[in-house]
Amino acid sequence: MPRGLWLALAALWLGGCVNLPDELRYEPESALQSYGAVSQHPDAAKGQPVRWSGVIAANRVLVSQTELEVVLLPLKANGIPQQQEHSEGRFLVHLPGLLDPTLYAPGRSVTVLGTVAGEVAGKIGEQPYRFVLVQGTAHKLWPQVKDVEVRYVNACFEPLWPGPRPRPLP
């Protein structure tokens, strides 16, 4: 078979392995609004569907819902926020019920599905900030990423057999 056909088949096969969790699916995908478009005109986007992700910056437990302040990060194909050093901004999401603030702690990654509810004035530290407010209908709190220590071993200097290393010849 031609090489291009093999590459296309491999891409399709690997693409099937990267799926969005069911709770974050929305049809039609083309109806989902981008943060950039909504942040320019949040009142005009009221009621429009969004699927945004990021890192939790703060949480507040309200009477019948939980409010998360999220630093926006782009979505990977599987719905997980892509870690990077730049963000387009922040948004607030209201999710029904009590979400334990210890689990939904600052620094955790989250993806939310919901509708734009408008704009809310707030602050980041002492700076005034206009947050886009999302009324969440579904969300996914992603597992924490554990730091992994990676050690590289140069095989040229390691013996291929167990036991003591041979002594060099004089």
Side-chain angles (χ1 to χ4, degrees):
M1 273 206 267
R3 184 176 185 200
L5 184 57
W6 279 110
L7 290 174
L9 288 172
L12 285 172
W13 180 72
L14 288 173
C17 298
V18 180
N19 288 329
L20 201 62
D22 288 337
E23 65 267 24
L24 297 177
R25 292 184 192 275
Y26 187 86
E27 292 297 329
E29 290 271 331
S30 60
L32 293 169
Q33 302 296 308
S34 71
Y35 178 83
V38 172
S39 65
Q40 297 299 316
H41 305 286
D43 288 332
K46 279 185 182 176
Q48 296 295 313
V50 296
R51 181 175 52 223
W52 294 340
S53 66
V55 175
I56 298 172
N59 57 40
R60 289 176 274 295
V61 178
L62 307 174
V63 174
S64 61
Q65 58 192 355
T66 302
E67 179 182 85
L68 300 178
E69 179 182 325
V70 182
V71 178
L72 183 81
L73 293 174
L75 280 167
K76 292 182 186 176
N78 58 2
I80 298 175
Q82 180 179 340
Q83 300 297 320
Q84 62 181 30
E85 300 297 319
H86 174 73
S87 172
E88 287 186 64
R90 295 185 181 201
F91 65 95
L92 296 177
V93 59
H94 286 173
L95 293 163
L98 171 66
L99 301 178
D100 192 310
T102 303
L103 297 176
Y104 289 79
R108 295 288 305 268
S109 295
V110 67
T111 303
V112 298
L113 182 66
T115 56
V116 177
E119 188 177 41
V120 176
K123 287 187 175 187
I124 299 175
E126 295 297 316
Q127 300 249 347
Y129 193 82
R130 306 284 306 168
F131 293 95
V132 174
L133 177 62
V134 174
Q135 185 59 50
T137 55
H139 73 283
K140 171 83 173 159
L141 182 67
W142 298 99
Q144 289 180 308
V145 177
K146 305 288 184 194
D147 289 336
V148 178
E149 182 179 344
V150 177
R151 294 184 185 199
Y152 294 96
V153 177
N154 189 338
C156 296
F157 298 108
E158 294 296 317
L160 298 176
W161 57 87
R165 295 180 188 208
R167 293 184 192 180
L169 295 174

